[in-house]
């Protein structure tokens, strides 16, 4: 439907095919753009180390090496998003739930985010209601937590707290990621989970616009739902609800 008018089925298929055909070239452009900054930063740091390492203090050298690690981690996350998006476009990754310690996996992902961002934020984990084991697909669960947590850190001021809550109820396993960042503009809510969409208020922060789309797809493959409570300047809370059959007994 366009402007309230139904689209003939043939035209709808043509529009869908056109959008699908545009996505590979758009993805290539996004990846090329997003790789330039970390690669340029890594090159600048290595040039500095090459020319001045002997005159630097051990602390200065460690700081620059940490900067390289941060940029490499950023590129690895970008590659993960690209691979995940490509898999989704090819028909979606299969969901293969298995009983795992989801609390331990959350802690592992949080430690990875902390390490890759040089611990710029206070990440706080709060398991509730005995939430520990659940039947989920580990790879898909990692996509969900990793993308939501990376976004929370990216769009929150340094030094602020980002909370991850895991709660088991009789009806569901709930995952919440809370931040005190820039929030989401009301105009962006309708397209929040569409690929390549980014908020109007993100400024110069890097990003592909794929993270939330990938997280939402992984949630749907679990038969779950994802919702957000947010306001500009007041932070965001994303809540993922896994159905009861996948929650701890």
């Amino acid at each position: 439907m366009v402007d309230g008018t139904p689209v003939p089925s043939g035209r709808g298929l043509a529009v869908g095919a056109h959008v699908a055909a545009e996505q590979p070239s758009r993805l290539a452009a996004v990846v090329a753009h997003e790789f330039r900054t970390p690669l340029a930063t890594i090159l600048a740091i290595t040039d500095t180390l090459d020319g001045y390492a002997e005159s630097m203090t051990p602390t200065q050298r460690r700081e620059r090496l940490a900067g390289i690690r941060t940029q490499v981690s950023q590129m690895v996350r970008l590659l993960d998003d690209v691979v995940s998006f490509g898999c989704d476009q090819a028909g979606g990754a299969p969901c293969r739930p298995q009983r795992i310690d989801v609390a331990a996996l959350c802690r592992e992902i949080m430690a990875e985010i902390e390490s890759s961002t040089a611990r710029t934020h206070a990440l706080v984990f709060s398991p509730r209601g005995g939430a520990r084991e659940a039947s989920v697909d580990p790879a898909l669960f990692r996509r969900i937590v990793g993308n939501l947590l990376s976004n929370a850190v990216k769009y929150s001021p340094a030094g602020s707290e980002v909370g991850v809550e895991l709660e088991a109820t009789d009806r569901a396993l709930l995952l919440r990621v809370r931040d005190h960042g820039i929030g989401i503009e009301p105009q962006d809510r309708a397209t929040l989970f569409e690929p390549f969409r980014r908020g109007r208020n993100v400024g110069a922060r890097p990003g592909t616009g794929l993270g939330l789309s990938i997280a939402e797809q992984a949630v749907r493959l679990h038969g779950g739902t994802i919702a957000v409570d947010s306001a500009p300047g007041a932070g965001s809370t994303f809540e993922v609800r896994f159905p009861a059959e996948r929650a701890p007994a």
Side-chain angles (χ1 to χ4, degrees):
M1 181 175 290
V2 179
D3 297 330
T5 305
V7 178
S9 59
R11 181 183 172 192
L13 290 173
V15 170
H18 177 67
V19 171
E22 281 187 339
Q23 286 187 340
S25 59
R26 187 171 185 181
L27 181 61
V30 168
V31 170
H33 178 267
E34 292 301 322
F35 262 81
R36 284 194 184 99
T37 299
L39 286 173
T41 301
I42 291 171
L43 180 60
I45 294 174
T46 53
D47 284 346
T48 300
L49 287 171
D50 185 48
Y52 304 99
E54 292 182 0
S55 61
M56 290 180 181
T57 65
T59 298
Q60 289 173 327
R61 287 195 293 271
R62 283 195 297 270
E63 287 174 349
R64 281 157 178 78
L65 290 172
I68 291 175
R69 282 193 293 270
T70 297
Q71 298 302 320
V72 170
S73 295
Q74 179 179 324
M75 290 192 293
V76 169
R77 286 196 297 273
L78 172 60
L79 284 173
D80 286 343
D81 282 351
V82 170
V83 171
S84 298
F85 180 72
C87 183
D88 292 342
Q89 294 304 297
C95 184
R96 298 190 177 95
Q98 54 184 278
R99 200 77 171 174
I100 65 167
D101 188 334
V102 288
L105 183 53
C106 281
R107 290 190 178 94
E108 179 183 320
I109 297 167
M110 293 173 73
E112 292 170 0
I113 297 292
E114 280 187 317
S115 177
S116 67
T117 58
R119 292 175 170 76
T120 54
H121 295 69
L123 305 189
V124 180
F125 182 51
S126 305
R128 300 176 178 177
R132 186 174 179 83
E133 288 194 349
S135 182
V136 297
D137 183 301
L140 294 178
F141 190 81
R142 178 178 284 276
R143 287 188 200 175
I144 297 165
V145 179
N147 277 296
L148 293 181
L149 191 54
S150 293
N151 270 10
V153 169
K154 183 191 302 183
Y155 298 119
S156 300
S160 65
E161 180 179 298
V162 173
V164 177
E165 300 174 8
L166 198 62
E167 180 180 356
T169 72
D170 292 338
R171 297 184 177 182
L173 175 71
L174 304 178
L175 169 73
R176 300 185 188 93
V177 178
R178 305 180 186 273
D179 67 59
H180 301 279
I182 61 175
I184 300 167
E185 298 285 345
Q187 308 96 303
D188 295 323
R189 297 289 290 273
T191 58
L192 192 61
F193 297 107
E194 292 182 7
F196 305 112
R197 295 284 189 170
R198 304 196 70 207
R200 303 157 201 262
N201 58 345
V202 301
R205 296 172 181 85
T208 61
L210 293 176
L212 288 180
S213 174
I214 290 168
E216 190 266 348
Q217 169 72 358
V219 171
R220 281 195 288 112
L221 287 170
H222 278 93
T225 60
I226 182 169
V228 60
D229 180 18
S230 182
S236 302
T237 298
F238 284 85
E239 180 178 281
V240 177
R241 182 179 294 266
F242 296 92
E245 60 268 20
R246 301 188 190 277

